Amino acid sequence: MKITFCCTDTKAEPWLAGLRAALPAAQVDLWQPGAPPADHAVVWAPPQQFFDEQTQLKGVFNIGAGVDALLKLRLPPQATVVRLDDAGMSVQMAEYVCHAVIRHFREFDGYEADVKAGKWSYRKPRSRADFAVGVMGLGVLGERVARALQAFEFPVNGWSRSAKTIEGVRGFAGEAQLADFLAASKVLVNLLPLTPDTRDIMRRETLSKLQPGGYVINVARGAHLVDDDLIALIDSGHLAGATLDVFRTEPLPADHPFWRHPKITITPHTSARTLRDESIAQIAGKIMALERAEPIAGIVDPVRGY
């Protein structure tokens, strides 16, 4: 069995060593143009040339949860595209979102500003009952985030394309229930996959349906959010602010207004990083399962886009 590795902007050698250790009977090589055909590929942001040459691939394993960029390429029609289920990312995402929600709810940003100004101040405690958190996207990461928020006794709403039941989470599903989901939420957390249907889903029309003083947390893809609409709704007072980890252009351009907006907190796409050892173990297990014609989790439906 031959496995080829083609991951842009990724240090290859630790991945190659790990895959070779996990799959000792396989030949694992770094892809170079003109390389011989392989059975499976481990990829991240590969060029179109890679798939134009590797037309016989049986499995394409993406070293991340998001596959929107991969699905823009022309892929071998017989190849099974597989994304990571978790590989240590869900707990990181839960940490990040809970931190952002609590920082806003407890007004720690305001306390921080006061301390820097030498001011000793108090703020009236807020009621959790008034801070329902809406999690948009209930896949592996979204479900983990929703469960983590429950531990802090926030009311949690969940919205997904099709109905999903999570104990303690008020469920909404489909386009018909999106407006009701937004109206029931004070904080919006976006964990949707990026597809043609979800692009620009966070725009003036939808964000204005959040409860007054609402707060936005985007940890999915920058293209979900219409930047100017978010800024306008914050400046109008309808939204209290936002925490953003993903952007339409990354790195975020130096002249982008998000850098300077006092009510927007940004981080450099670091909410949940791929953990190499966990990812290698998961990918190796799935490759062997495919070779044995066994079912695996994480298979991408190209039509749905995730």
Side-chain angles (χ1 to χ4, degrees), residues 97 100-101 104 131-137 145 149 155 157-159 178-192 201-203 205-211 213-220 224-225 230 233 239 241-244:
V97 171
V101 170
H104 173 62
F131 265 79
V133 182
V135 179
M136 193 160 59
V145 166
L149 288 164
N157 303 319
W159 183 84
L178 179 58
D180 290 341
F181 162 76
L182 294 167
S185 303
K186 185 85 165 186
V187 179
L188 178 65
V189 179
N190 178 41
L191 278 155
L192 289 170
I201 193 170
M202 292 190 293
R203 56 188 182 275
E205 175 191 354
T206 51
L207 295 179
S208 62
K209 291 181 170 64
L210 289 171
Q211 295 174 8
Y215 195 81
V216 173
I217 300 170
N218 189 19
V219 287
H224 284 125
L225 175 67
L230 173 69
L233 286 168
L239 295 179
T243 293
L244 308 175

Side-chain angles (χ1 to χ4, degrees), residues 196-277:
D197 290 337
T198 64
R199 184 176 293 273
D200 298 332
I201 193 170
M202 292 190 293
R203 56 188 182 275
R204 183 185 295 271
E205 175 191 354
T206 51
L207 295 179
S208 62
K209 291 181 170 64
L210 289 171
Q211 295 174 8
Y215 195 81
V216 173
I217 300 170
N218 189 19
V219 287
R221 287 290 185 266
H224 284 125
L225 175 67
V226 178
D227 298 358
D228 290 344
D229 288 1
L230 173 69
I231 291 172
L233 286 168
I234 292 174
D235 290 346
S236 74
H238 181 71
L239 295 179
T243 293
L244 308 175
D245 186 54
V246 290
F247 309 93
R248 287 179 178 266
T249 301
E250 296 182 1
L252 187 66
D255 60 350
H256 197 287
F258 284 166
W259 286 106
R260 300 176 297 280
H261 200 290
K263 295 183 178 180
I264 295 177
T265 298
I266 63 173
T267 51
H269 202 147
T270 192
S271 55
R273 303 293 296 274
T274 299
L275 301 181
R276 186 175 59 243
D277 291 346

Side-chain angles (χ1 to χ4, degrees), residues 2-8 10-12 15-16 18-20 23 26-31 38-47 50-51 54 57-64 70 80 82 84 274 276 279-287:
K2 293 183 178 180
I3 299 170
T4 183
F5 182 86
C6 182
C7 295
T8 303
T10 301
K11 189 175 181 180
W15 283 88
L16 295 171
L19 288 165
R20 287 166 183 156
L23 297 164
Q27 178 181 331
V28 183
D29 295 308
L30 178 65
W31 178 77
D39 300 296
H40 300 282
V42 178
V43 304
W44 179 255
F50 174 78
F51 290 113
Q54 295 287 325
L57 289 169
K58 293 185 287 184
V60 176
F61 295 82
N62 196 55
I63 64 167
L70 183 61
T80 298
V82 185
L84 291 179
T274 299
R276 186 175 59 243
S279 299
I280 288 171
Q282 185 180 134
I283 290 169
K286 290 183 176 183
I287 287 175

